[in-house]
Amino acid sequence: DDEEEDDDDDDDDDEPDQKIRINDNTEGLTFVVIVPGWKDEESWTLLSSSPFLKAKWIVAKKDHGFCDGAQHQRKDRYRESPYDTGVFILQTPSAAEQWKITDALEMELKEAMAKAVPTPAAQFRRKKEGRGMADADGGGGVYKGRKRKNP
């Protein structure tokens, strides 16, 4: 008996981690992926060409800010974004039926991101303190914290 059948329906040479398989019984899955707006990166191309892509929005850097990773140590919680940001919404077919992507959703997301733009006073403090290497920081080098006074 020649019963050497290959149960793998995968006859091409793609790497296993580059495939997403979803069967008809899969519950609705939605992923929101937020990445820097670097359109020349491979990740941007892959997300843009995903068969699960339902929406792709670009938020201009001037129109949003973000919560600083060290916000618990900072006087100012929010930072200006140093670049545009891409928002990708990926959905399975059942998710796309359940949760429609609308213009209202896009506006709601962009309005929420706009709330993180720091105030002019916070922008001034950040530039004055020279934190980080971003343009908004005056290119002041890496922030080393406040100098401690010797007791």
Side-chain angles (χ1 to χ4, degrees):
D1 289 322
D2 275 339
E3 293 189 34
E4 289 185 28
E5 286 185 31
D6 187 359
D7 289 336
D8 189 6
D9 295 333
D10 194 15
D11 291 332
D12 55 21
D13 294 326
D14 287 345
E15 294 292 323
D17 62 342
Q18 293 178 345
K19 291 192 169 201
I20 298 175
R21 294 191 182 146
I22 297 184
N23 63 39
D24 293 336
N25 298 324
T26 300
E27 291 185 36
L29 298 173
T30 298
F31 295 90
V32 179
V33 182
I34 299 176
V35 296
W38 301 332
K39 297 176 185 175
D40 55 345
E41 292 293 320
E42 182 181 10
S43 59
W44 188 276
T45 304
L46 291 171
L47 286 165
S48 295
S49 63
S50 170
F52 302 104
L53 181 67
K54 301 301 177 206
K56 174 173 68 173
W57 305 317
I58 298 172
V59 185
K61 73 178 190 174
K62 67 178 180 57
D63 293 337
H64 74 292
F66 63 94
C67 190
D68 192 311
Q71 47 100 4
H72 60 285
Q73 298 175 324
R74 306 266 191 247
K75 179 175 185 174
D76 302 306
R77 180 177 186 166
Y78 301 111
R79 289 187 47 192
E80 294 172 293
S81 179
Y83 39 75
D84 294 348
T85 295
V87 179
F88 294 83
I89 300 182
L90 308 172
Q91 291 184 307
T92 60
S94 59
E97 287 178 26
Q98 285 181 290
W99 302 292
K100 303 291 184 197
I101 306 303
T102 63
D103 291 341
L105 176 65
E106 179 181 5
M107 293 307 302
E108 187 178 341
L109 176 82
K110 288 182 176 180
E111 287 172 7
M113 292 176 77
K115 290 178 181 176
V117 173
T119 65
Q123 292 173 4
F124 177 78
R125 277 191 298 275
R126 184 169 178 82
K127 187 171 183 177
K128 182 180 174 187
E129 292 173 8
R131 289 185 265 159
M133 298 292 288
D135 293 339
D137 299 327
V142 176
Y143 177 63
K144 295 182 174 119
R146 289 194 166 154
K147 293 184 181 182
R148 296 183 181 186
K149 294 180 182 177
N150 290 335

